[in-house]
């Protein structure tokens, strides 16, 4: 499923974000950039040790929640990995929605600053960090649509959803946006 916003494309796909042939893929990291499971584990496993060597060297202070940093992509097909940290869900009253939107925006800012024409996101915060998928999907798509309307870049934003359920949640949220 895809929609066009001012000539830019938002696309939904089901699959593995680490396999995407795009300029940048996004890592659902933690604030210490210490590696972990889920997307983070898959990126470092497939991409090899060069990615963490670079983030250790360039970002020893880590990456606060809601912000992002960029590195090379090691053996992955992408050119860059953008590491961002979504919020841990703790009921919704601790600024989670704003932090999640900020994580998406920070990635898009870095993508544009590094001339990335295409970027692939996983559903940040919806695995280990426990963010409810329906709410996370709406926030993700709202953040991306308003960024694209304002900045007219990058050309392609792809969400790569790991499960059918996650794909369904994003498809429903995208329909809501399209209907507006
Ligand atoms: N491709 C696309 N989506 C995936 C993949 C994949 N290869 N693997 C998992 N998902 P998570 P978080 C989905 O846990 O919630 C790590 O340990 C998954 O089904 O990767 O932001 C970090 O080090 C879920 O919908 O990220 C952090 O400590 C979504 O990606 C912490 O987890 C995000 O799940 C971050 O937690």
């Amino acid at each position: 499923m895809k929609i066009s916003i001012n000539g830019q494309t938002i696309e939904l796909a089901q699959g593995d974000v680490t396999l995407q042939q795009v300029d940048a893929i996004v890592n659902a990291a933690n604030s210490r950039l210490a590696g972990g499971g889920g997307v983070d584990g898959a990126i470092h496993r497939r991409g090899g040790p060069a990615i963490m060597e670079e983030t250790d060297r360039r970002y020893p202070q880590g990456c606060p929640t809601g912000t992002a940093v960029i590195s090379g992509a090691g053996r992955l097909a992408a050119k860059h990995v953008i590491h961002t940290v979504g919020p841990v869900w703790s009921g919704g009253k601790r600024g989670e929605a704003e932090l999640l939107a900020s994580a998406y925006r920070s990635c898009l800012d870095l993508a544009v600053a590094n001339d990335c024409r295409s970027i692939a996101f996983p559903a940040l915060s919806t695995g280990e960090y426990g963010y409810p998928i329906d709410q996370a999907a709406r926030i993700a798509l709202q953040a991306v649509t308003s960024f694209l309307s304002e900045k007219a870049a990058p050309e392609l934003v792809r969400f790569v959803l790991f499960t059918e359920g996650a794909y369904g949640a994003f498809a429903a949220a995208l329909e809501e946006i399209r209907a507006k």
Side-chain angles (χ1 to χ4, degrees):
M1 179 171 178
K2 54 168 103 170
I3 66 167
S4 173
I5 312 263
N6 288 347
Q8 285 79 241
T9 301
I10 299 181
E11 184 175 87
L12 307 184
Q14 205 184 318
D16 184 336
V17 73
T18 66
L19 301 177
Q20 305 301 306
Q21 302 207 353
V22 286
D23 289 341
I25 65 169
V26 174
N27 184 14
N30 53 66
S31 56
R32 291 173 297 123
L33 300 176
V39 173
D40 203 357
I43 283 178
H44 291 295
R45 242 185 345 265
R46 272 190 210 282
I51 300 173
M52 198 164 307
E53 278 160 25
E54 182 177 345
T55 54
D56 284 350
R57 179 166 42 79
R58 291 177 67 186
Y59 313 111
Q61 74 287 6
C63 178
T65 303
T67 71
V69 297
I70 192 166
S71 73
R75 294 193 295 259
L76 298 173
K79 292 185 195 139
H80 308 275
V81 176
I82 295 177
H83 309 260
T84 192
V85 184
V88 176
W89 177 257
S90 56
K93 296 200 170 130
R94 298 209 170 153
E96 291 98 324
E98 182 44 42
L99 286 167
L100 185 59
S102 169
Y104 280 101
R105 280 195 301 270
S106 303
C107 292
L108 292 166
D109 275 332
L110 270 182
V112 170
N114 289 275
D115 298 321
C116 298
R117 295 163 66 176
S118 53
I119 181 169
F121 282 100
L124 300 172
S125 284
T126 65
E128 192 179 315
Y129 283 0
Y131 212 115
I133 188 76
D134 294 339
Q135 292 180 54
R138 271 190 221 113
I139 291 164
L141 287 164
Q142 270 158 17
V144 170
T145 13
S146 52
F147 189 95
L148 293 182
S149 312
E150 208 176 299
K151 306 273 166 76
E155 280 169 30
L156 171 68
V157 179
R158 182 182 296 152
F159 287 92
V160 184
L161 293 324
F162 210 43
T163 63
E164 219 169 292
Y167 183 92
F170 272 72
L174 195 56
E175 279 299 350
E176 278 174 27
I177 286 174
R178 185 146 62 176
K180 271 189 195 151

